[in-house]
Amino acid sequence: MKNIYKKIACLLALGLTFASCENYLDDVPKGFKSPTTLADYEAFLRDEYTNHRVDITGASQLLNDQYVTIATLSSNRLYNALYLWDENADRIALKVSDETTYYSGYAGISTFNLIIENALNTTKATEAEKRVVWAEAKILRAMNYFNLVNFYADTYLASTASTKLSVPLITSANINAPSKQVTIQEMYDFILNDVKEALPYLLKVSQTPLHPNLGAGYAFYSRVYLQMNNYTEALKYADLALAENNKLYDWIGYYNTNKAIIDVPNSYTTTTSPMSYNYVENYTYRHGTFNNLTTENSIPIERAQRFEAGDARFISRWKIYTVGAETYYRRTLSGAFNFGGITTVEVYLIKAECLARAGQISEALAVLNAVRKTRILPSYYQDIATTDKTTALNAIYRTKRNELINTLIPFADARRLNAEGIYKVSFTKTVNGTAYTLKSDSHLWTMPFPQGAIKNPGNGTITQNVAK
């Protein structure tokens, strides 16, 4: 058990170690409790600010889903490269410090490994209770690996997944655990196996919003299969997830309740985020990108223009704002935001895409419109109706990008679609008279590992997955 205390004392992710920590503690410190009961290990799952932090700052900046101020662009060359799509920038050289996306991801994995290794041998619990906590940790570990592989490695393609490298795979909480940078295929196989092993033991109603339930397991399975372009399996598990929870939040009702505050001109008084722990769309809750964890990103004007007219969800969350020479849409919600977990609206839109891919256009649009009816104000709403597959899919993608803004999913979807080559995603904008373009085949769609990880890879090696 001494390795637990080494890990806590050194505050290390990815099982990395510094020389000063190598022999820091060999015994349980006085005044500390050695975890032995299931409750001791289950408590780690409730550490939301450490183990449920899903930072995707780089992806949000690349997509321009986050407004970056002029001052920040001037002072932070990496943010500048991402936000202004500078293909000549050496992002590897610019990542000179540790990065939350990488280290918080592996810090969570280390915790989940600890639970997976020990939960089944704990005391003061039945075998069934032990299996539940073990299974929850498996789902959360798989979710972290999915986030990391879809940030730092190329997207999944069956033709190349067995030859391209992904991210380091670590399956033990031991501080000296081996680290192997496996292929993309090996990583996806590992993720799928974690979910497969966990599903039989997940509860239909979990202990807290931080604990993934059965619906979360099915929903995440659907997300992974979609990223692998396996639409049959993605649809299967989307339906199973929706059988567990199919609720959609009434954003029109939220707007109407708060419109007296929302509609006041030049007022930026915030209203309370409904996307919190008890959001009816939640399968499992995890925090998102923003450092504060109680506010969300403001967004550029160009990004705001991609929302549908009359979108109550948009109107309730952002308002145009000018300060000095800068104009953008300022955030107007405060509270908690489920940007790192998984929700029903994502699963509805996975289902819609899978149906459209299978040529079931009317069925796909029925699912899409069911979502839109809870978002688009009645005075603006019209059913999307078409028999054309491309038109239907583009409508689904537009809604999904807007619904899941500030999450990893629009970034992961764009990479998937660009690799497929049919429904490519690219962006253009003009800033101060200069035109900028993010091409669908740009190397910017894969993020480089931070220098700290390359120089100190723990008990293994790491190869960069992108040239710059």
Side-chain angles (χ1 to χ4, degrees):
M1 201 61 65
K2 61 186 179 182
N3 286 315
I4 296 172
Y5 300 102
K6 286 182 179 180
K7 181 168 80 96
I8 294 172
C10 299
L11 296 176
L12 299 175
L14 185 54
L16 304 181
T17 181
F18 297 109
S20 61
C21 296
E22 186 61 38
N23 296 304
Y24 191 79
L25 289 172
D26 289 329
D27 299 299
V28 177
K30 292 181 180 180
F32 283 78
K33 176 185 176 183
S34 175
T36 56
T37 70
L38 182 65
D40 292 335
Y41 285 96
E42 187 271 336
F44 288 118
L45 292 180
R46 299 171 186 259
D47 182 5
E48 60 181 292
Y49 297 108
T50 301
N51 298 322
H52 296 275
R53 174 75 180 277
V54 183
D55 189 286
I56 57 152
T57 298
S60 291
Q61 291 172 347
L62 188 75
L63 292 174
N64 281 202
D65 283 353
Q66 171 187 350
Y67 180 73
V68 183
T69 66
I70 293 173
T72 301
L73 291 176
S74 297
S75 62
N76 192 312
R77 294 172 60 200
L78 177 60
Y79 287 8
N80 185 287
L82 294 171
Y83 193 70
L84 297 179
W85 307 324
D86 184 359
E87 294 198 335
N88 295 317
D90 187 346
R91 294 175 301 159
I92 296 171
L94 296 177
K95 282 196 175 184
V96 295
S97 61
D98 292 351
E99 182 176 65
T100 304
T101 302
Y102 189 84
Y103 290 102
S104 68
Y106 277 105
I109 286 169
S110 182
T111 298
F112 305 139
N113 282 339
L114 180 71
I115 296 168
I116 293 165
E117 287 180 309
N118 293 282
L120 300 183
N121 297 316
T122 55
T123 61
K124 298 183 180 180
T126 66
E127 288 303 309
E129 290 168 336
K130 295 175 186 179
R131 279 290 177 184
V132 169
V133 174
W134 176 86
E136 290 165 342
K138 283 244 173 188
I139 293 293
L140 291 169
R141 179 173 71 177
M143 292 182 77
N144 273 28
Y145 273 125
F146 179 88
N147 295 337
L148 290 164
V149 73
N150 279 286
F151 199 85
Y152 294 107
D154 287 347
T155 194
Y156 183 92
L157 271 179
S159 59
T160 61
S162 295
T163 57
K164 288 188 174 184
L165 289 175
S166 65
V167 298
L169 177 62
I170 305 172
T171 57
S172 173
N174 190 303
I175 203 167
N176 295 311
S179 163
K180 181 183 178 183
Q181 188 178 5
V182 297
T183 66
I184 294 171
Q185 185 65 58
E186 288 173 319
M187 180 55 74
Y188 271 83
D189 288 344
F190 181 85
I191 290 169
L192 290 172
N193 188 64
D194 259 2
V195 181
K196 178 182 178 181
E197 291 185 348
L199 280 177
Y201 306 103
L202 294 172
L203 300 174
K204 292 179 74 68
V205 179
S206 52
Q207 304 95 309
T208 77
L210 300 175
H211 295 69
N213 55 28
L214 181 60
Y218 289 143
F220 179 61
Y221 230 174
S222 181
R223 176 191 286 179
V224 177
Y225 277 120
L226 181 73
Q227 200 65 28
M228 299 175 73
N229 304 301
N230 187 333
Y231 306 113
T232 301
E233 290 298 297
L235 177 60
K236 170 185 172 182
Y237 286 103
D239 281 333
L240 287 170
L242 292 171
E244 296 297 318
N245 179 13
N246 65 358
K247 297 183 179 68
L248 287 168
Y249 185 74
D250 180 11
W251 277 95
I252 297 171
Y254 180 88
Y255 167 74
N256 287 330
T257 298
N258 294 281
K259 65 185 300 182
I261 298 173
I262 294 169
D263 289 349
V264 176
N266 302 314
S267 172
Y268 301 92
T269 301
T270 60
T271 54
T272 302
S273 165
M275 297 177 284
S276 187
Y277 304 100
N278 296 319
Y279 192 41
V280 297
E281 296 184 2
N282 286 351
Y283 289 113
T284 189
Y285 178 95
R286 306 189 83 187
H287 288 291
T289 294
F290 211 78
N291 291 336
N292 195 314
L293 301 182
T294 57
T295 53
E296 62 175 327
N297 295 324
S298 294
I299 61 176
I301 291 175
E302 297 87 353
R303 181 62 185 89
Q305 291 169 345
R306 297 182 210 152
F307 283 85
E308 279 194 66
D311 188 333
R313 194 168 181 265
F314 168 75
I315 298 168
S316 300
R317 294 169 67 184
W318 294 284
K319 185 180 292 188
I320 197 162
Y321 177 75
T322 297
V323 55
E326 300 182 67
T327 299
Y328 54 92
Y329 277 78
R330 180 174 168 175
R331 58 183 179 262
T332 57
L333 290 187
S334 63
F337 301 84
N338 187 8
F339 290 149
I342 193 163
T343 57
T344 58
V345 71
E346 178 184 346
V347 178
Y348 271 108
L349 295 171
I350 290 174
K351 178 175 181 175
E353 178 178 350
C354 292
L355 289 170
R357 293 276 187 170
Q360 297 174 257
I361 306 301
S362 61
E363 293 88 342
L365 293 180
V367 175
L368 172 63
N369 288 325
V371 171
R372 294 177 62 248
K373 285 174 182 175
T374 66
R375 271 59 174 170
I376 310 301
L377 296 174
S379 58
Y380 290 87
Y381 182 83
Q382 287 186 335
D383 275 347
I384 294 175
T386 183
T387 58
D388 179 69
K389 180 179 179 180
T390 297
T391 302
L393 282 169
N394 283 331
I396 293 165
Y397 297 144
R398 178 187 184 184
T399 297
K400 193 176 182 187
R401 288 168 195 146
N402 290 336
E403 284 292 327
L404 299 175
I405 187 173
N406 288 330
T407 77
L408 181 68
I409 302 308
F411 179 71
D413 277 351
R415 287 156 40 92
R416 170 173 62 91
L417 296 173
N418 287 339
E420 180 189 25
I422 301 174
Y423 309 100
K424 296 180 181 179
V425 178
S426 61
F427 300 107
T428 60
K429 66 180 178 181
T430 300
V431 179
N432 296 326
T434 301
Y436 298 91
T437 300
L438 176 61
K439 298 181 293 185
S440 61
D441 61 352
S442 174
H443 67 274
L444 297 174
W445 289 106
T446 297
M447 300 294 169
F449 293 116
Q451 287 187 30
I454 297 294
K455 293 178 181 178
N456 189 7
N459 189 9
T461 59
I462 302 176
T463 302
Q464 281 285 8
N465 289 322
V466 65
K468 59 183 179 180

